[in-house]
Amino acid sequence: MSRALPARFPPHGAWPEMMRADTAAAFFDRKNTKELAAAVVRGEIPPPCGTTGSGKAKEPVWTRSYCVAFLLSRYDGGAAGRVETEDYADLV
């Protein structure tokens, strides 16, 4: 990720299973790939789970399932299936 690319949302609205950095930036609500890289360094976002391409065309990739698993482990706290009773409406 040598230059910052703007975050890119999927044109059809469905997140692909494999995402390059610009799509992963959008998935994690970052403005560009520079913000994505900084968030990875801070541990807010998981590092890439692999690469695609070879040589100078090699790019980091994230899978949607890898990203979702990271978010669930970080923010769900093992509460899968638990019904939330706290009202978060005032936070929005």
Side-chain angles (χ1 to χ4, degrees):
M1 284 188 275
S2 58
R3 67 179 210 273
L5 299 174
R8 182 172 55 101
F9 287 86
H12 46 72
W15 294 104
E17 181 56 31
M18 185 175 288
M19 299 180 279
R20 291 187 169 115
D22 56 346
T23 306
F27 183 88
F28 285 107
D29 198 25
R30 306 299 167 168
K31 291 180 183 175
N32 55 47
T33 54
K34 185 176 180 178
E35 283 189 12
L36 175 76
V40 168
V41 170
R42 291 190 303 268
E44 299 169 358
I45 292 172
C49 58
T51 58
T52 186
S54 61
K56 290 184 180 185
K58 197 172 193 177
E59 296 181 74
V61 291
W62 289 255
T63 62
R64 185 178 48 81
S65 54
Y66 172 72
C67 295
V68 168
F70 174 85
L71 292 171
L72 288 174
S73 69
R74 182 173 174 110
Y75 296 106
D76 189 35
R82 185 178 71 206
V83 176
E84 283 293 328
T85 56
E86 191 169 344
D87 183 12
Y88 295 108
D90 61 333
L91 297 176
V92 179

